[in-house]
Amino acid sequence: MRLDRLTTRFYCLLASLALLSAAHSTANEVSSEYGVVTSRSEFASKAGTQMLAQGGNAVDAIVAAGFALAVTYPSAGNLGGGGFMVVRMADGTTVTNDHREMAPLAAYRDMFLDDDGEYDPAKALRSHLASGVPGSAAGLLDVHERFGKLTREQVMSEAIRLASEGFQLPSDIARQIAGRKDLWLRTIGSRAKFLRDDGSSFEEGDLFVQPDLAQTLMRIREYGRDGFYKGKTAELVVAEMKRGNGLISLKDLEDYETVWRDPINGSYRGFEIISMPPPSSGGVLLVQMLNMLERFDLNSMGFANALTMHTMVEVERRAYADRAVHLGDMDFYPVPVSSLIDKKYAVSRIQDINLEKSTSSLEISAGELPTPEESEETTHLSAIDSDGNAVAYTTTLNSGYGSGIVVEGAGFLLNNEMDDFSSKPGVPNQFGLLGAEANAIEPRKRMLSSMTPTIVVSENRPVLVTGSPGGSTIITTVLQIVVNVIDHGMSISEAVTHPRFHHQWMPDAITVETGGFEEETADQLRSMGHEIRERRAIGDANTAGWSEDSIIGVSDPRNQGFASGLEAPPNN
Ligand code: DON
């Protein structure tokens, strides 16, 4: 029996958790029996629950929120980027949609090296060459066509309204846009979108109208994928490429396809884990790390205890070493997925963990695995409807605001996802991640990702739907939320709110959230041989879950996201 007829919204005051710094002190939690959508933007979350109100399902809701996010959260919501969606329908159907960007046909291995053979971050991150062929429009449309109940007009209407009528800029977005004036001055399209007509910066509360983006969205509403990948929008993208010596061609756009992939399936202490396969490393690493952690009693070790953190770090170190060598686009490289997520491999991998002392990352290399036969900014949204359909969706332009280049006349930003390839072995990318052959640049290949949209199922219910931005820290953020719920018995809100830490093999250091952990714990970790570094916040995990008698949505208190719950039964 569900207790609440009406949605209740409350701000959980976690002041009693002395562990948390002020930045982590509140979570926006909503509970509803009719469905929830949680994302980084209030406009987008509400666009999602509007679909539920119109009788749509969680897929309609996520697609509407995804399009709206491209309008209201330009830092990572996008049409010019890519993403991964994990869908679990109430009938048990589980599938993932890979709409990751692809290297253009004209891309080549050394394209980000300068004349001296050195990696050139300006080229890889802020030039027209930085963009892969965008996948988001195709992804949202394909998933909607396969699983949605409402029309394309319905799921796009709020995004189009927000772009054409405008919305009042919230303080954080206004601040982000104003802080990047130099970036906007570089190209005509960016200046037109992100600066006022007189060249000054937008401020909080300004009405932000995006007429070119509205037109692009209307072309998609009218012609479906052809409204983006052919005709006027495609021509505008190619014209933008020509202006900046970029590589994306009309043929690249026309040939772009999303890929339906079987999810990575794992189990952890009786819970079913459903996550994203390559070209994301997220699902493989998550399941691999959970397999290793299953051999330890984290519950009795306790949350935020030095031994728990040490154990998790040692597991993370080993998994990220495997990532650097074995993970890449499976369509181009034989990724040993089944070996990596095999519980027997996990047992062999933890043999050299010393529970009293850190292992140096220099002593850890990727596990030897047989080659199989052929076989700061991203954003995460989660939704569950009253039937129990669930969607975890992570989407990105890579860096905040991608390459910073807006397609002139089309009003959307281009990604700089090409930097997620390994441009030069041994040289880390912007997230400090190393890579090799498996993730080298090749035409039409998809660059390796860490995005980890994940659904955890118990007794046929989606008890946790989660994911996060944060580059390399995405996978360990999701890992901690899963462990917090399953091992430490936390509520979804607590699991999302509690402080986070991260280790990625190289650099050989634990990053902890500032003010998140006791100094005594840090000292214990140092005495075990760990180096500790600090960061203000790790991740932004907008999470949902089926909890006993209601559906819970939580927006991560580290950012200004919003959890929206449907307050009354839908009008079917
Ligand atoms: O796909 C990836 O792993 C990266 N492009 C994600 C980038 C990201 O999360 C940046 N946000 N903080």
Side-chain angles (χ1 to χ4, degrees):
M1 253 278 289
R2 291 176 185 161
L3 298 175
D4 308 328
R5 290 298 300 173
L6 288 179
T7 301
T8 54
R9 177 184 308 289
F10 56 95
Y11 289 83
C12 302
L13 289 174
L14 295 169
S16 57
L17 283 170
L19 286 173
L20 300 178
S21 70
H24 306 151
S25 61
T26 57
N28 166 220
E29 175 175 316
V30 67
S31 127
S32 161
E33 64 179 285
Y34 306 115
V36 302
V37 180
T38 173
S39 81
R40 176 63 175 77
S41 155
E42 180 170 350
F43 299 107
S45 298
K46 287 181 172 169
T49 42
Q50 272 177 25
M51 296 303 107
L52 298 179
Q54 290 173 27
N57 60 20
V59 169
D60 295 304
I62 278 287
V63 170
F67 277 120
L69 212 56
V71 179
T72 61
Y73 187 54
S75 155
N78 68 84
L79 293 181
F84 297 127
M85 207 179 285
V86 177
V87 178
R88 182 180 188 276
M89 301 304 281
D91 66 4
T93 307
T94 54
V95 71
T96 73
N97 185 268
D98 160 8
H99 45 273
R100 183 73 162 163
E101 299 90 330
M102 283 173 91
L105 207 48
Y108 51 98
R109 178 181 289 244
D110 294 342
M111 60 190 274
F112 297 124
L113 303 188
D114 64 17
D115 294 344
D116 299 325
E118 298 304 326
Y119 166 67
D120 178 351
K123 248 193 206 169
L125 289 165
R126 292 298 190 207
S127 79
H128 287 71
L129 288 176
S131 304
V133 183
S136 292
L140 290 168
L141 293 171
D142 284 358
V143 178
H144 175 249
E145 197 172 303
R146 179 159 170 191
F147 292 109
K149 284 167 71 182
L150 303 179
T151 63
R152 187 161 75 223
E153 286 69 24
Q154 282 173 295
V155 295
M156 294 192 69
S157 66
E158 185 61 0
I160 292 173
R161 192 189 70 74
L162 288 161
S164 51
E165 293 176 15
F167 64 94
Q168 287 193 312
L169 278 176
S171 58
D172 55 333
I173 311 294
R175 204 177 330 109
Q176 288 176 5
I177 293 175
R180 288 173 166 77
K181 193 166 178 185
D182 289 350
L183 199 56
W184 313 139
L185 288 171
R186 292 170 54 213
T187 59
I188 297 167
S190 308
R191 193 180 315 157
K193 178 174 170 118
F194 287 118
L195 294 176
R196 291 175 177 146
D197 290 346
D198 67 1
S200 62
S201 294
F202 288 107
E203 287 170 19
E204 175 183 358
D206 281 355
L207 190 66
F208 190 51
V209 186
Q210 301 169 78
D212 290 341
L213 180 59
Q215 291 296 323
T216 300
L217 288 164
M218 285 184 220
R219 285 191 291 276
I220 299 173
R221 178 183 63 186
E222 179 100 6
Y223 304 111
R225 54 166 295 146
D226 287 357
F228 187 90
Y229 293 93
K230 286 184 184 169
K232 182 159 183 193
T233 314
E235 282 158 18
L236 288 168
V237 171
V238 172
E240 184 61 54
M241 286 291 124
K242 293 222 167 92
R243 271 191 292 280
N245 299 319
L247 300 181
I248 299 173
S249 67
L250 284 177
K251 182 160 173 51
D252 283 321
L253 290 162
E254 198 173 324
D255 289 353
Y256 184 83
E257 301 272 2
T258 76
V259 188
W260 294 103
R261 299 186 190 276
D262 290 336
I264 293 291
N265 289 303
S267 67
Y268 184 60
R269 305 195 203 279
F271 288 78
E272 196 185 328
I273 311 291
I274 302 164
S275 193
M276 193 66 211
S280 182
S281 58
V284 169
L285 258 73
L286 176 67
V287 168
Q288 186 188 355
M289 291 191 287
L290 289 171
N291 285 344
M292 291 192 255
L293 290 174
E294 211 169 30
R295 319 299 296 188
F296 300 90
D297 186 356
L298 298 183
N299 175 268
S300 54
M301 290 178 183
F303 175 81
N305 168 287
L307 184 58
T308 311
M309 291 173 75
H310 169 73
T311 307
M312 291 177 75
V313 160
E314 292 303 321
V315 159
E316 290 168 9
R317 186 197 306 284
R318 284 156 180 79
Y320 277 78
D322 281 349
R323 182 193 193 276
V325 172
H326 293 303
L327 269 299
D329 182 350
M330 290 190 284
D331 298 340
F332 283 74
Y333 186 86
V335 180
V337 171
S338 52
S339 304
L340 286 164
I341 62 172
D342 187 340
K343 290 200 192 265
K344 288 201 280 296
Y345 177 64
V347 173
S348 71
R349 207 75 179 102
I350 59 174
Q351 290 313 313
D352 60 351
I353 292 182
N354 179 337
L355 286 181
E356 280 154 24
K357 191 173 166 306
S358 78
T359 319
S360 162
S361 283
L362 294 173
E363 290 162 22
I364 297 288
S365 53
E368 300 271 333
L369 290 173
T371 302
E373 302 296 314
E374 268 314 290
S375 52
E376 218 149 314
E377 185 87 51
T378 299
T379 193
H380 180 82
L381 308 71
S382 301
I384 303 180
D385 64 28
S386 57
D387 290 331
N389 301 308
V391 188
Y393 183 35
T394 314
T395 183
T396 189
L397 291 163
N398 194 22
S399 306
Y401 298 87
S403 66
I405 297 164
V406 172
V407 177
E408 190 183 340
F412 60 86
L413 276 161
L414 289 166
N415 67 82
N416 61 0
E417 219 75 57
M418 290 292 287
D419 188 59
D420 271 352
F421 279 117
S422 171
S423 295
K424 186 177 177 185
V427 176
N429 74 356
Q430 63 167 331
F431 303 112
L433 287 167
L434 294 168
E437 188 57 33
N439 191 32
I441 303 177
E442 290 178 63
R444 297 274 153 108
K445 190 172 174 181
R446 295 174 191 225
M447 53 297 280
L448 184 61
S449 173
S450 300
M451 293 190 285
T452 315
T454 297
I455 300 176
V456 178
V457 175
S458 176
E459 295 170 1
N460 210 27
R461 290 287 187 208
V463 291
L464 194 62
V465 181
T466 193
S468 178
S472 54
T473 66
I474 293 172
I475 318 172
T476 54
T477 294
V478 173
L479 176 76
Q480 286 167 93
I481 292 170
V482 172
V483 162
N484 285 350
V485 168
I486 297 179
D487 290 281
H488 301 304
M490 291 184 198
S491 69
I492 292 173
S493 183
E494 289 167 336
V496 168
T497 305
H498 271 58
R500 301 190 181 125
F501 60 95
H502 169 77
H503 195 291
Q504 60 181 53
W505 176 54
M506 297 284 188
D508 190 352
I510 308 176
T511 305
V512 299
E513 289 187 320
T514 306
F517 298 91
E518 304 283 1
E519 200 41 49
E520 193 188 329
T521 310
D523 286 342
Q524 281 172 319
L525 286 165
R526 282 190 199 96
S527 70
M528 291 165 144
H530 294 285
E531 181 189 330
I532 312 273
R533 298 180 184 175
E534 287 189 15
R535 193 191 283 188
R536 189 189 67 80
I538 298 177
D540 179 18
N542 299 308
T543 300
W546 196 286
S547 168
E548 299 196 351
D549 50 13
S550 57
I551 307 167
I552 306 288
V554 172
S555 75
D556 195 319
R558 291 162 182 79
N559 261 311
Q560 289 173 243
F562 190 82
S564 178
L566 184 60
E567 299 191 359
N571 318 309
N572 283 311

